[in-house]
Structure formats: structure tokens, C-alpha cells
Amino acid sequence: VESKLIGFAQKFCNQALLSGWTQLLLRSGASAMLKELPIEQQASALFLALLKKGVEDLIFLGDTASPDASLNMFDGLVKLWNADINIPNAGLALPMDATNAYDNFKLMARAFVDEVQESDLDYGIIASTTDYNHLVDNLMNNNNYHYTAEESERGLKIPGTEVYVQKRRQLSTGEVFGVVYPYILFGTDAEEDLTSIKVKEMQDTEEMRASAYAMAGITYAFPEYFVKP
């Protein structure tokens, strides 16, 4: 995996940290010793949530040509998949709506090559929330296989197939991809790199600043096992 140095930083004012223990400890009269650790923990927890979101956005939406500094560190999966001529096209009838979503997703599910469909690999479809909801509506409107729109941890199973659909907030309408999850590789220096957070209190501005840095990159193997619209 080709990796580059990526970094994320965020500052928090006291107002953003006013919750739970932090709210209590920021009151007048709280001792400095008691105040320090909970504030750092609160800043770290908030930053970790933002960090995970930022890394996930970068993985999918990264684009070295983007004017967004948080996305131009490396090309993400959407750009790589769209440009990869070795990934077969399913030939979907886009745009999707509540009348054609099921046919489109079933077509995508059956577009995986036989080696994938006959294997024990963990594979499935990822789509935008909008297209995912079109599928739910389509199935419920048609009452396909007495479908009740129940989801599992793996996502929503397409009736007539063994394939599950998961919604990804990073994807736009029409961005539907068949993926083999074990063949998507996110590389970094060490497992703890992107969760090793440094927190510093800025006395002059009464802010907490958090940052994390690591070498990271994204790639995938066997493009012929994937599917795009």
C-alpha cells in the first residue's frame, strides 16, 4: 500500500467541552489537578469521533485534485474505482427510484464473477442512503417475498440473492459499488497510529487542541472481483 503522511487537528473551546464531568470541573473553584485530566479525556473523545469520520471520508472521497485540504492527501476509493477499467460494469438503469431499485440491486448482486459468488469471501454492495431507501421502498411497495424491510448487522439482504446492501453516507445517488471487503486495504504505520492523540491546553485562548499524525494509504486487490454501476 502506498502511504503518505496524513494529519488531523482540531481545537475545542470550553463551551464545546461543557458536558458531564467537564461541566462540573470548569465551574469556579474546581481544582486545577482535577480539572486537567477530565478535560483532556473529553477533548480526546470528541477528537477521536471527528478523526474516525475524517479518515472514513478520506478513504472514500479522497482526491488529490480536491481544494479541500482534508481530502487531498490521497485518492480515495470512489475515484479509484470509477477510473479502474478492470472493474466490470453491471449496466444499471440509473437514476434509481422506488420502482426500479430492486431490479438494479439484483443486477448488481448477480454481476459479481462466479469465483466470488461461489466463494466464502465476505462481499456485498455499498450505496448512498438515497438509493438504499429506494430499495426499501421498492421492496415494501411490491411486497417482494413478503419482505418486511428488516435489517441485520450486515445490512439489508436483497431477496433472491445472498447479497447484502450497506448504506454509506459518503456515496452520492448513483454511486453503487459491489465490493469484496477483505480485498480493501487501509495501510498505516501501526494499528495505534491514528488513535494516538496529542492534546494540548492553550492557556492564552482557553482552548484545547488535539492532533494525530500517521503514514496512511488505501488500495484494493483483484479489481475484477469488484463491480461498478
Side-chain angles (χ1 to χ4, degrees), residues 14-228:
N14 284 345
Q15 184 177 1
L17 299 173
L18 285 174
S19 62
W21 274 99
T22 307
Q23 189 175 52
L24 173 64
L25 293 168
L26 285 178
R27 291 176 181 172
S28 177
S31 72
M33 183 175 66
L34 288 175
K35 187 190 304 182
E36 181 179 355
L37 183 58
I39 292 177
E40 289 187 357
Q41 288 178 339
Q42 185 76 0
S44 294
L46 287 172
F47 181 70
L48 183 58
L50 293 172
L51 176 63
K52 289 180 178 178
K53 178 180 180 296
V55 171
E56 191 176 81
D57 289 347
L58 179 60
I59 287 172
F60 280 96
L61 302 177
D63 185 344
T64 55
S66 173
D68 188 337
S70 66
L71 296 177
N72 62 15
M73 303 174 199
F74 53 74
D75 288 334
L77 291 173
V78 172
K79 182 177 179 179
L80 294 174
W81 286 337
N82 282 331
D84 195 335
I85 62 174
N86 295 309
I87 297 179
N89 296 291
L92 303 187
L94 300 175
M96 287 197 206
D97 55 37
T99 66
N100 68 2
Y102 170 63
D103 288 337
N104 273 309
F105 278 102
K106 184 174 67 173
L107 182 62
M108 173 71 78
R110 294 182 177 174
F112 283 100
V113 296
D114 291 346
E115 291 91 333
V116 172
Q117 295 192 50
E118 296 167 0
S119 73
D120 293 326
L121 290 169
D122 183 14
Y123 69 99
I125 297 171
I126 56 175
S128 69
T129 298
T130 298
D131 289 336
Y132 181 96
N133 289 338
H134 285 325
L135 174 61
V136 173
D137 293 341
N138 196 176
L139 293 173
M140 294 185 70
N141 290 342
N142 293 347
N143 194 27
N144 284 9
Y145 305 96
H146 303 288
Y147 182 73
T148 59
E150 293 182 0
E151 299 175 88
S152 71
E153 292 182 357
R154 297 187 61 191
L156 188 154
K157 187 175 181 180
I158 303 171
T161 78
E162 296 299 319
V163 179
Y164 288 81
V165 180
Q166 293 186 3
K167 52 187 172 184
R168 306 296 311 190
R169 60 178 176 78
Q170 293 86 3
L171 300 181
S172 301
T173 301
E175 291 180 336
V176 186
F177 298 99
V179 300
V180 182
Y181 296 108
Y183 293 157
I184 299 174
L185 310 170
F186 178 72
T188 186
D189 295 332
E191 183 178 353
E192 67 274 7
D193 280 343
L194 284 174
T195 56
S196 180
I197 299 171
K198 296 180 180 178
V199 178
K200 183 178 181 180
E201 184 176 3
M202 311 301 292
Q203 298 287 351
D204 53 338
T205 59
E206 296 186 349
E207 293 174 335
M208 301 294 294
R209 296 190 180 183
S211 60
Y213 297 89
M215 296 294 291
I218 189 73
T219 191
Y220 56 95
F222 304 109
E224 65 273 17
Y225 287 173
F226 290 68
V227 186
K228 57 186 178 181

